[in-house]
Amino acid sequence: MRNLGQIRLDLKAADPLPREVRTVRLPTPLLPGSALPGATAELFGLRFSTGSAESIVAAVAARRDDGLRMIVTANVDHIVQLSADAAFRGAYDRAAARTLDGMPLVWLARAACRRPVHRVTGHDLLACVLADPPPFAQRIFLVSARQDAADALTARLRAEGLPEGAVTSAVPPYGFEADRDYSRDLATRIRAHGTTLLVMGVGAPKSEIWIDRHRSELGDPVVFCVGDALNVAAGYLTRAPSLMQHLGLEWVFRFLQAPRRLFRRYFIKSWRFIGIVARDRLADRGG
């Protein structure tokens, strides 16, 4: 009989690389030195926090680590990329907290551990600081894909009471992550600003990898990697209706907003994730 506390997932099954089977254990207690206290789920060799966005953000902000504390939000596309991109995997390994963003991951965790598992997205992380910026978010730096969105979000934060100069932004050029000079200058700007909350809105995996590569140069901010959630918070993109979110159909809404950019992600790459799960179930039934 299948053990609901263990699910074997083959991360490499769709890759030309050697087959690697990882074990998923749910639930599992945190080991000494692990990222956060509280309920967790171990998937794909990584431990995910399953509590609310508020509890996760508060716990990360309360840590007194010597360095930055990055929160990443995992979806199906991230899992596919993690199986092939060592730099992305390393960034995930060293994140202060990892949340379950994609609904397929949330469903997998709920089925395995049979207890409440919160979906925590980039939108949820931003919501924790936008309405009433907490003490750790008094010096905010936005790295945005578009200047108008950065300006709008800056104005919104100023309206919440942050003083002039407390929020600043940068809009990096395409390919900035491979530009050593620009990356060094950007890291210097972030540190010189005294940034306590760094919001990365330039997409995955570049946001996570860039942060991980430059972590020693950035000071000790909390870091949110939120992608398009920054543009949504600024009012330049619309999020899917709540019903679509709960049904796991938010990806359809996003695709219709940017079909050229997202076609490959949703209709080509995502099949690799489905294949990983399907092959695991067949292997389990056969064994």
Side-chain angles (χ1 to χ4, degrees):
M1 183 180 294
R2 184 178 182 84
N3 182 354
L4 288 175
Q6 276 197 343
I7 302 174
R8 294 168 55 252
L9 292 179
D10 182 358
L11 284 179
K12 304 286 187 176
D15 298 328
L17 301 175
R19 180 179 175 88
E20 176 184 354
V21 175
R22 298 185 182 273
T23 300
V24 175
R25 294 181 177 86
L26 296 168
T28 183
L30 279 172
L31 299 174
S34 295
L36 292 176
T40 63
E42 190 174 326
L43 303 170
F44 317 110
L46 293 165
R47 184 161 293 139
F48 293 89
S49 298
T50 59
S52 67
E54 293 80 5
S55 66
I56 293 168
V57 169
V60 169
R63 285 177 53 161
R64 292 295 179 262
D65 295 358
D66 184 17
L68 63 83
R69 292 142 290 163
M70 176 169 64
I71 303 178
V72 295
T73 58
N75 56 33
V76 167
D77 183 60
H78 285 202
I79 298 306
V80 170
Q81 293 191 66
L82 285 169
S83 70
D85 190 328
F88 192 31
R89 178 73 189 206
Y92 253 71
D93 286 340
R94 288 179 284 274
R98 309 163 201 93
T99 74
L100 298 167
D101 179 343
M103 282 306 299
L105 305 184
V106 174
W107 291 331
L108 177 62
R110 287 174 178 169
C113 66
R114 295 182 178 273
R115 59 173 169 75
V117 172
H118 291 270
R119 180 191 185 200
V120 176
T121 70
H123 307 283
D124 300 318
L125 297 181
L126 286 177
C128 293
V129 302
L130 289 177
D132 184 16
F136 83 88
Q138 297 301 302
R139 302 285 296 177
I140 301 176
F141 199 110
L142 309 171
V143 179
S144 174
R146 47 191 295 176
Q147 190 64 59
D148 53 2
D151 292 343
L153 197 51
T154 297
R156 180 174 174 181
L157 287 162
R158 287 287 310 282
E160 293 297 333
L162 291 183
E164 184 175 359
V167 186
T168 190
S169 64
V171 180
Y174 180 80
F176 80 96
E177 68 276 13
D179 186 327
R180 284 187 173 186
D181 291 338
Y182 182 88
S183 290
R184 182 180 61 250
D185 291 345
L186 177 58
T188 299
R189 281 188 60 196
I190 292 169
R191 186 162 192 156
H193 175 252
T195 303
T196 57
L197 173 63
L198 174 57
V199 179
M200 298 293 291
V202 291
K206 70 176 65 176
S207 290
E208 294 84 353
I209 293 174
W210 190 87
I211 291 295
D212 194 53
R213 284 178 177 168
H214 297 278
R215 60 172 51 246
S216 64
E217 308 163 43
L218 296 169
D220 59 354
V222 172
V223 183
F224 293 170
C225 293
V226 301
D228 275 341
L230 189 154
N231 294 325
V232 173
Y236 285 90
L237 279 181
T238 303
R239 194 177 180 192
S242 296
L243 181 60
M244 295 185 76
Q245 295 175 37
H246 291 307
L247 293 176
L249 296 174
E250 190 165 8
W251 68 271
V252 177
F253 189 88
R254 293 192 64 200
F255 171 72
L256 293 175
Q257 290 182 311
R260 288 188 178 182
R261 179 168 67 88
L262 297 176
F263 178 84
R264 178 174 174 79
R265 176 190 301 183
Y266 292 139
F267 293 99
I268 298 178
K269 291 171 63 179
S270 64
W271 287 102
R272 294 170 58 192
F273 177 82
I274 296 172
I276 288 169
V277 177
R279 274 185 291 273
D280 177 74
R281 290 180 176 177
L282 288 173
D284 185 74
R285 290 172 183 171

